[in-house]
Amino acid sequence: MAAKPGIPKGTRDFSPVEMAKRNYIFNTIRDVYHLYGFQQIETPSMEMLSTLMGKYGEEGDKLLFKIQNSGDYFSGITDEDLLSRNAAKLASKFCEKGLRYDLTVPFARYVVMHRDEITFPFKRYQIQPVWRADRPQKGRYREFYQCDADVVGSDSLLNEVELMQIVDTVFTRFGIRVCIKINNRKILTGIAEIIGEADKIVDITVAIDKLDKIGLDNVNKELAEKGISGEAIAKLQPIILLSGTNAEKLATLKTVLSDSETGLKGVEESEFILNTLQTMGLKNEIELDLTLARGLNYYTGAIFEVKALDVQIGSITGGGRYDNLTGVFGMAGVSGVGISFGADRIFDVLNQLELYPKEAVNGTQLLFINFGEKEAAFSMGILSKARAAGIRAEIFPDAAKMKKQMSYANVKNIPFVAIVGENEMNEGKAMLKNMESGEQQLVTAEELIGALTK
């Protein structure tokens, strides 16, 4: 007996109903992006490893899926290399390409390659899958979709404001209650400066970004393991656990960071974003959260994360300002800011809260029963008119037993069935059955269309 096939851990198949739900997510996000003037691009699933490596920090580099070279990939590799069993060194010789880890670095590469064709500021969005060699768990997959929007070529904080409005609009349309968390990498840099550990900013941000996942004690343990002094860790505690309103937190930070020019700049930027959004009447809560660090090394200014309030799941949207990302590709001085919706986690949240509108997941609206060649030919005429009117309709392809055809309609949740037998053909009509109520009525093609489109 043949072995049962499977799929890699951290990946999923999606049924027609699930795809209808996913398309509802993608279309909602796409519609909001269009409202704000963003245009769509796509980039290849694979990039050169030289493009990807070193952009996500040491931890991110470990999660890159590398693609083995085709042909004789042993060429140029010595016996000594093989016997060393150094996986990282061998991978660098076996593999020149990798699956993209996110959409932001490929976007930066795109901007540099197409700089002569782009009008700045450039507002683009991208809805494509990404891959990470992460440990699969609830809400975390190895293959998942991101729905990114970025603006490059503008330093204005109005871009951050608009991105937060986009987040608020999207989740309001979904009906998901969220908390939008905001911080600034300049504030975190200022904190590292005042506790005397300016050179450990990356270690500090990577550790405190895990506060929600591993708790304060384990964060402190990780900080100590990275060589940060006990005195500095003690100074850090009241800062990362700062509470109060956004205005109170900002006021405290102005005092705490008074000796850090960089830190005060971050406070000023955060204050502008929060104060401007306050006048916009957001439907969702927005919170200044100093534990928000976003582990990716390329963020330099404002950073964002979105948490669902009614479901236990990780971040469902994130992003931030990256002033120097294109510089690593030889194009300095281009500032950018972006957000990324985690479509797969949003999918799980909408499922748990049962928030999908009925019309978003319904497929076929009308099924024609097939009684034979003559009846099918007659039905096809009405079917064509129904489709021309925008009704999603199909005919059962075989003249199977009535029970089988009706069962097909029930399994697919088709709300209406058209029955055309000899009597209906003689009258030039069809019997339209409402599958929910069981009601039947004899109708012309025009009446049938009217019943389904009203």
Side-chain angles (χ1 to χ4, degrees), residues 364 366-377 379-380 383 387 393-402 404-409 412 414 418:
T364 302
L366 173 66
L367 173 71
F368 280 83
I369 299 297
N370 187 339
F371 287 118
E373 194 173 322
K374 286 189 298 181
E375 291 86 350
S379 296
M380 289 292 285
L383 179 62
R387 286 173 175 159
E394 57 180 293
I395 185 169
F396 200 85
D398 305 304
K401 289 183 178 178
M402 179 82 158
K404 181 179 180 179
Q405 298 190 49
M406 295 299 276
S407 174
Y408 175 85
K412 290 189 69 177
I414 300 172

Side-chain angles (χ1 to χ4, degrees), residues 160-218:
E160 277 87 336
V161 169
E162 286 209 328
L163 289 172
M164 293 305 92
Q165 287 180 283
I166 286 173
V167 168
D168 184 64
T169 304
V170 165
F171 287 111
T172 299
R173 290 191 179 191
F174 285 143
I176 299 173
R177 294 193 318 120
V178 298
C179 177
I180 303 167
K181 294 178 178 287
I182 179 173
N183 198 8
N184 195 296
R185 287 300 283 258
K186 294 184 180 77
I187 291 176
L188 294 170
T189 300
I191 291 170
E193 287 176 4
I194 64 156
I195 66 170
E197 297 283 2
D199 59 329
K200 297 287 180 95
I201 177 63
V202 173
D203 291 333
I204 292 170
T205 55
V206 166
I208 69 173
D209 193 43
K210 298 174 183 174
L211 187 68
D212 279 354
K213 301 181 189 108
I214 65 175
L216 185 60
D217 290 344
N218 286 320

Side-chain angles (χ1 to χ4, degrees), residues 119-324:
T119 301
F120 293 100
F122 182 43
K123 301 171 77 171
R124 87 79 170 87
Y125 76 88
Q126 218 170 324
I127 299 176
Q128 288 186 276
V130 299
W131 294 266
R132 295 182 187 178
D134 215 341
R135 185 170 66 86
Q137 53 187 287
K138 184 181 178 182
R140 187 183 293 274
Y141 307 100
R142 287 177 170 171
E143 178 186 59
F144 56 97
Y145 267 75
Q146 288 185 336
C147 308
D148 283 20
D150 289 80
V151 186
V152 295
S154 170
D155 297 320
S156 172
L157 293 172
L158 287 178
N159 295 312
E160 277 87 336
V161 169
E162 286 209 328
L163 289 172
M164 293 305 92
Q165 287 180 283
I166 286 173
V167 168
D168 184 64
T169 304
V170 165
F171 287 111
T172 299
R173 290 191 179 191
F174 285 143
I176 299 173
R177 294 193 318 120
V178 298
C179 177
I180 303 167
K181 294 178 178 287
I182 179 173
N183 198 8
N184 195 296
R185 287 300 283 258
K186 294 184 180 77
I187 291 176
L188 294 170
T189 300
I191 291 170
E193 287 176 4
I194 64 156
I195 66 170
E197 297 283 2
D199 59 329
K200 297 287 180 95
I201 177 63
V202 173
D203 291 333
I204 292 170
T205 55
V206 166
I208 69 173
D209 193 43
K210 298 174 183 174
L211 187 68
D212 279 354
K213 301 181 189 108
I214 65 175
L216 185 60
D217 290 344
N218 286 320
V219 167
N220 290 337
K221 183 181 174 184
E222 185 171 323
L223 289 167
E225 288 170 354
K226 295 292 186 180
I228 294 161
S229 71
E231 183 186 357
I233 293 172
K235 285 181 181 177
L236 192 58
Q237 303 309 293
I239 299 170
I240 63 174
L241 298 175
L242 188 63
S243 60
T245 65
N246 292 333
E248 288 167 346
K249 290 176 185 175
L250 290 167
T252 302
L253 285 171
K254 285 176 185 176
T255 303
V256 171
L257 299 176
S258 58
D259 292 333
S260 170
E261 185 181 342
T262 301
L264 289 176
K265 179 66 175 168
V267 174
E268 180 190 325
E269 290 179 3
S270 300
E271 191 168 38
F272 175 85
I273 295 166
L274 289 166
N275 287 348
T276 307
L277 286 170
Q278 200 168 10
T279 67
M280 300 293 174
L282 295 189
K283 302 287 192 302
N284 290 283
E285 175 189 355
I286 185 159
E287 175 194 348
L288 179 64
D289 183 355
L290 298 185
T291 68
L292 173 60
R294 303 288 297 164
L296 302 179
N297 284 347
Y298 53 66
Y299 291 124
T300 56
I303 46 180
F304 319 107
E305 206 157 86
V306 178
K307 301 279 187 181
L309 295 178
D310 301 316
V311 171
Q312 283 291 107
I313 199 166
S315 165
I316 54 178
T317 298
R321 167 73 63 173
Y322 45 89
D323 281 337
N324 49 18

